[in-house]
Amino acid sequence: MEYTVQKLARLAGISARTLRYYDEIGILKPARMNSSGYRIYGQAEVSMLQQILFYKELGISLESIKKIVTAPSFNGVGALKEHRAQLLEKRKQLDLLIANVEKTIALTEGRMSMTDKEKFEGFKQKLIDDNEIKYGKEIRNKYGADTVNKSNAKLKNMTQEEYEEVTRLADEVNATLAEAFKTGEPAGAIAQKAADLHKQWLTYFWSEYSKEAHAGLAQMYMDDERFKAYYDEKQPGTAEFLRDAIHVYTGFKK
């Protein structure tokens, strides 16, 4: 079966404008153009659109999706299996949050008691699961499963005070980094303060800190489009600036 833009848009629950945009950026080209100049999509394009929408649901940027689906090594069946695994992880994460909310409701209504640790279990697990879904494969390949598992265990065992402090530190890192970026000097005092705050933030997650690992993580912020997009969201170039500041801080030589 073949579809026009309008028919495929209705089938997928997206706008016709979105399909035209996907064609423009080269992420999903129609199978052909008919004699009237209309885009025509076949089964292969329908399957590719499904893959694209799966990746979007997982929070991956269009730029990154394009690199994935246009790579010569892209395997549709393998991608579907990976999507399934990630969606199951997402369901697990939601189940934990729902359980946490239900406990909180019961606590508020006086039907049960709940420790401070239990109140934050769902949120800490959400942070772990979000990282696993987005970056799990990369960080496990880079640092090893044992290191990542220890980091997750450390986060799970955080006290309420520690959790609040690491959240505050994350905000301070971003605020200081934004201020430092304006100076344009990665080796400057403000930039080095941002790098030191970043180190302090990391120590809440890493069982052991090393300058080499810190410098390597900073480089990954540049190499991985998802990390780069996070830091560059408000000001393009921030990820590179942070990497350079951390490399100065750690004494890393390019």
Side-chain angles (χ1 to χ4, degrees), residues 30 38 156:
Y38 289 107
K156 273 188 171 182

Side-chain angles (χ1 to χ4, degrees), residues 9-77:
R10 284 196 297 269
L11 178 71
I14 60 177
S15 69
R17 179 178 293 181
T18 296
L19 280 177
R20 294 189 186 98
Y21 179 65
Y22 287 173
D23 182 10
E24 289 172 12
I25 65 174
I27 194 172
L28 181 67
K29 292 286 187 182
R32 61 186 178 86
M33 304 290 283
N34 68 11
S35 57
S36 300
Y38 289 107
R39 296 173 175 86
I40 301 297
Y41 298 85
Q43 289 303 306
E45 290 72 39
V46 172
S47 296
M48 182 59 73
L49 178 59
Q50 182 189 38
Q51 295 283 8
I52 292 167
L53 296 179
F54 275 140
Y55 281 119
K56 280 196 68 182
E57 183 65 25
L58 293 170
I60 300 174
S61 69
L62 280 178
E63 184 180 357
S64 296
I65 295 172
K66 181 179 178 180
K67 289 181 180 179
I68 293 169
V69 300
T70 59
S73 59
F74 177 73
N75 180 285
V77 175

Side-chain angles (χ1 to χ4, degrees), residues 139-231:
I139 59 177
R140 287 177 184 276
N141 286 340
K142 188 173 184 64
Y143 298 108
D146 185 58
T147 299
V148 175
N149 291 337
K150 285 180 179 178
S151 175
N152 289 342
K154 190 171 183 181
L155 174 55
K156 273 188 171 182
N157 291 324
M158 274 186 190
T159 64
Q160 179 181 343
E161 292 74 18
E162 288 171 332
Y163 183 80
E164 290 174 351
E165 175 61 14
V166 77
T167 302
R168 184 198 66 77
L169 263 175
D171 291 338
E172 190 175 358
V173 168
N174 289 332
T176 306
L177 180 60
E179 185 181 355
F181 184 81
K182 295 175 184 176
T183 69
E185 299 178 5
I190 303 176
Q192 290 306 291
K193 179 184 177 182
D196 184 67
L197 287 168
H198 191 267
K199 173 193 173 181
Q200 293 178 46
W201 175 77
L202 280 176
T203 58
Y204 279 87
F205 301 97
W206 288 3
S207 56
E208 295 179 4
Y209 172 84
S210 75
K211 290 183 176 181
E212 182 182 3
H214 195 183
L217 179 65
Q219 184 60 50
M220 191 164 74
Y221 288 164
M222 278 297 297
D223 296 339
D224 189 294
E225 288 297 325
R226 291 163 297 176
F227 281 108
K228 189 172 184 293
Y230 170 79
Y231 283 104

